[in-house]
Structure formats: structure tokens, C-alpha cells
Amino acid sequence: MTDPSTTRTGTGPASAPAPTRRGPVVAALMLGMGLAALDGTIVSTAVPQIVGDLGGLAVFSWLFSGYLLAVTVTLPVYGKLSDTFGRKPVLVAGVVLFLLGSLLCAAAWNMASLIAFRVVQGLGGGALQGTVQTIAADLYPLKERPKIQAKLSSVWAASSVAGPAAGGLLAGYADWRWIFLINLPVGLVALWLIVRHLKEPARTTPRAPARIDWAGALAIFATGALLLTALVQGGVAWPWPSAPSLGLLAGSAVLGAATVVIERRAAEPIIPGWVWRRRTISAVNLALGALGLLMVAPTVFLPTYAQSVLGLGPIAAGFVLSAMTLSWPVSAALSNRVYTRIGFRRTAILGISGALLVLLAFPLLPFPGEPWQPALLMLLLGAALGLFQLPLIVGVQSTVPYGERGTTTASVLFCRQVGQSVGAALFGAVANGVLAARLGGGDLDTLARALDAPESLAAGAMDGLRRAVDAAVGYVFVGAAGAAALALLILLTLAPRRFPVLEEGTERED
């Protein structure tokens, strides 16, 4: 096919031939992606009911952190396993593990057991996220990949935004345990579709018996767990300049160095060195890590801004954020018309440049402003990021053969997840620092709760608190603009001008 990027050839079969019926497989992928996204946010609005039933208010944040940790640190492991043993067994195992975790969560008897079972759920969620994206690339040739990736993006965005509302409804009108039980019928349908309809290519080249780098997998898991625990809990469970934070960061650095040594010596490393030696993959990894960083501003801080500054209710605040989920998949679906003309790199540069301008415009909004103003910016931001993210994912998947695609896709998603964790810690510290400077103390969550109960505030205090939250969120969006500028710099200096795309039908299986 004609593509703006250069092509290179290999030997052996092309990417996985399409199953007899792609429709059921795509439906299964969308269901799996929806489950993984939904369970990242659905618990948030049910916390009062869960704590009231099980107790454990002091550690409830681990309901989110535990799931995030398990998903993030297992992504590279599942990527390597899918390249070694095939996508289908990894995805089936991931769905089964996710459903087992969901069932155990519904049966939890105290907060400690619920947190442990959320980790089990996250172990399955890591397989869902990475393997679904890889199979989507296997099923479709380069020309058609934007369509399936746009569908998955829209499912992910809609599920993430709908999660808090769905959790609140189930907890308020049924029982919080249904938040997890509802996964079972949906997951079983996805599992049946995968087992029945997903067919993988027969290997035409002899392979040596697979050797799993279990030492590397354990080292990656331990390193990621310590690092993400430090980032997620720092400034929340303990102060940043404290023994727990410094100890976790130092421990993650030591384990990271040990991981590098283990991976260099491994015959089949979980994270091969070529992931970082190839300019295209390393540039995309770093650029999407910056995307994860900047996405914290709209997804985490915009709902607080909409409720605390604009005075909207939770549902209306969700609609402000959902404007981004409307334009993102549309822009992503149409991005192939752009990158087939000007190339993957230039299309991504165009998208992140637009996102940079939108993020810089947010602090210029009037106070208190109208809801349509941030909603319009989110609509524009979604359109810009659709042009940025999808061409990079499609482009980097198209530069590797079938036997390397799982590892490559997992490395991209891993970097994006780590970026989100870093962003949550970094921008949380920025927001709390601005509030402390303006009000002499307090954090964003405490002030947001105070604004939800205006009768508890002294006369005239409401306006001051709202202005403080407005300023704090404004600084967060400036920081997000800095992350966008970093992504732009990476694309301009590190990414090759033309991605070395493999020709359709000539990819080799290593």
C-alpha cells in the first residue's frame, strides 16, 4: 500500500490473518476494553457505601491504587507473553482472572480483602488493556486500523466517564457489590466470543521452546510496585519529604538497576533492549508518557473545577468532561486521511500543537465563567489528542512484525500509565501548593468537600475558596501544557521524520 512513511520488508507471514468473522471478535474486544476502563473509575462514587459496610476509611484509596498498580506493572509482562504464546491464551487468561477478581470483590468481608481482590482484578485488567490493543492491530491492515482504534478509544472514554455515575447508581439503588457482579455476564459474553471466533495464525517457522523470563517479570513487577506506590501515596498517606517516600523511591531505583542487569542477561527478556534502541518506539513511548501526564489535568481536576468553581452537580460536571470523549474518537477515526498525506510524525505534531494551545487557553477562562466555555475547550482538546495519540499507536505497531507487536504495544501503554501516575502525584502537589499559598493550608479534596456544604462556611468565604480552587486548577493546566510541550519536543528531536513501516504481507515472525 502507499504510505507516507518508508517501508521495509522481512521474511515470513504477515500479521495475523483475519478470522472468518471479525465482527464477533471486535465486539469481544470492545467489551473487554469497556470492562477494564469502567473498573478504573466505577468505585469512586461508591466509597461512602463501601466504607460504611466494611470500614477501613484510612486505606480506602488503595481500592484505586491497588488496581492501578496491578494493571501498570503487568502490561510489559503480558505483552511479552502474548508474543511468545499468542494473543488468545493471554487474553482468555486475563478475562478469567478479571472475572475471578470481580467475583471475589463482591464477596469481600473487610477492606483488606477487598483491596487484595482489587489487585487480582487489576492483574486481569493488565492483560485486557494490552492484548486487546495488540489483537486490534493484528486483525486489520494499516489502512483500516484507525477505525478499530477509534472504536476502542470511544469505548474507553465513554466507560471511564460513565464509571462514577454507574457506581453511584448501583451503590445508591442496589448494593455496592453489584459494581463487581455486573462484570460477570459482560465478561462471560466476551470470553465466549473470544474462544469461539478468535483464530490466530499458524507459525510457519520453527521456534525453539519458549523460555519465560520469570526473574525479569518479578523484578519489573517489584520495581513498578514500589515506584507507583511512592507516586500514588506520596503527599496523600504521608508527606513527600518523609521516610516512606524516600525509602520507596530509593528501593525502586535499586530494583530498577537490578532489573536492567537481569534483562540484559536473560535469553528472552520481558522488556527487550530493542524497545529503547529503536528511535521510533522509544520516541512514541516517551511522547505517550507525556500524554499520560497531561491527561491528569482534564480527567482528575476538571470535575472538581466544574463542581467547585462553576457550581455544577456531579452529572453536569461529567458532561463538561464528556465533550472530550465526543470529539476524540471522531478525530481519531479521521486521522488516517491526514497521516496518509503528511505522515505519522507530522500528524502527531499537528495534534499535540493544538492540544498545547487549548491547555494554555484554560487558565484564561473568566471567573466563574459559563459551563459551555470549558466544555468547548474539552471538545477542542479531544479533537487535538485524537490526531496525536492514534497515529503514533498505529504507526509504531506498523513498524514491527507480528512477533514483536505485543511487546511494543505493551511498552507504549506502560509508559502512558506511568505518565498518569506521575501526573497525579505531580499535579496534586502543584494544586495543594497553590491552595496552601493562597489560603494558608488545606488541600484540594478538603476544600472541594467544604464547597459542597456552603452552609458550613463563614460569610464571604465561599468566593475566596472558589477563587483559590480556580487558581489551583489553572496552574495544573499550565503544567499540562508543559507536558504537551515536552511531547512536541520529543517528536521534533527524537522521532524519525518517516516511520519505517513494514510492507503489508511481508512481516516476518521472529
Side-chain angles (χ1 to χ4, degrees), residues 420-448:
Q420 288 178 334
S421 300
V422 173
L426 177 62
F427 293 146
V430 168
N432 292 334
V434 173
L435 292 173
R438 288 181 173 255
L439 300 174
D443 56 45
L444 195 64
D445 291 336
T446 301
L447 295 180

Side-chain angles (χ1 to χ4, degrees), residues 394-410:
V394 172
V396 77
Q397 288 177 331
S398 303
T399 66
V400 294
Y402 176 81
E404 296 176 354
R405 193 173 291 146
T407 299
T408 300
T409 303

Side-chain angles (χ1 to χ4, degrees), residues 72 123 260 295 382 432:
T72 304
L123 294 176
V260 172
M295 281 300 296
N432 292 334

Side-chain angles (χ1 to χ4, degrees), residues 157-500:
S159 299
S160 299
V161 172
L169 288 172
L170 289 171
Y173 294 99
D175 185 272
W176 64 264
R177 297 179 191 273
W178 280 101
I179 289 173
F180 305 105
L181 290 175
I182 199 172
N183 292 335
L184 299 181
V186 178
L188 288 173
V189 171
L191 186 62
W192 179 79
L193 291 172
I194 293 164
V195 171
R196 182 176 177 83
H197 295 286
L198 179 59
K199 298 178 177 64
E200 295 201 86
R203 299 187 185 277
T204 58
T205 56
R207 294 177 64 101
R211 288 181 289 179
I212 304 302
D213 178 23
W214 294 116
L218 181 61
I220 291 168
F221 190 93
T223 303
L226 288 185
L227 176 60
L228 292 180
T229 300
L231 295 174
V232 171
Q233 296 299 110
V236 178
W238 48 72
W240 276 110
S242 64
S245 285
L246 297 177
L248 287 169
L249 290 173
S252 65
V254 172
L255 284 176
T259 301
V260 172
V261 174
I262 292 171
E263 292 296 87
R264 283 183 173 178
R265 295 179 177 178
E268 295 284 345
I270 294 294
I271 302 181
W274 54 259
V275 168
W276 295 105
R277 287 195 298 269
R278 297 181 191 174
R279 284 183 61 194
T280 305
I281 301 175
S282 60
V284 171
N285 282 345
L286 294 174
L288 290 185
L291 172 66
L293 192 69
L294 74 86
M295 281 300 296
V296 171
T299 57
V300 176
F301 291 91
L302 185 63
T304 298
Y305 171 88
Q307 294 181 68
S308 301
V309 178
L310 302 181
L312 301 178
I315 296 177
F319 280 120
V320 173
L321 177 59
S322 67
M324 182 172 65
T325 70
L326 297 176
S327 57
W328 190 318
V330 174
S331 173
L334 297 175
S335 65
N336 67 321
R337 300 185 181 183
V338 182
Y339 68 64
T340 52
R341 292 172 183 252
I342 66 175
F344 294 116
R345 175 176 174 269
R346 289 179 180 175
T347 303
I349 287 174
L350 179 65
I352 199 62
S353 299
L356 174 60
L357 295 176
V358 172
L359 293 167
L360 288 174
F362 187 90
L364 303 178
L365 292 177
F367 176 87
E370 298 292 334
W372 66 265
Q373 294 167 331
L376 176 61
L377 290 183
M378 291 305 101
L379 194 70
L380 296 173
L381 182 63
L385 293 179
L387 284 178
F388 169 69
Q389 177 181 259
L390 190 131
L392 291 182
I393 292 178
V394 172
V396 77
Q397 288 177 331
S398 303
T399 66
V400 294
Y402 176 81
E404 296 176 354
R405 193 173 291 146
T407 299
T408 300
T409 303
S411 72
V412 169
L413 298 178
F414 175 77
C415 289
R416 190 180 66 184
Q417 288 283 109
V418 171
Q420 288 178 334
S421 300
V422 173
L426 177 62
F427 293 146
V430 168
N432 292 334
V434 173
L435 292 173
R438 288 181 173 255
L439 300 174
D443 56 45
L444 195 64
D445 291 336
T446 301
L447 295 180
R449 287 193 293 269
L451 289 168
D452 285 337
E455 66 277 0
S456 64
L457 300 174
M462 175 71 76
D463 184 68
L465 289 179
R466 283 184 169 170
R467 288 185 180 276
V469 173
D470 177 67
V473 176
Y475 276 101
V476 167
F477 270 81
V478 171
L486 177 62
L488 178 60
L489 181 64
I490 290 167
L491 292 178
L492 289 173
T493 59
L494 183 58
R497 292 181 180 274
R498 301 170 73 86
F499 283 22

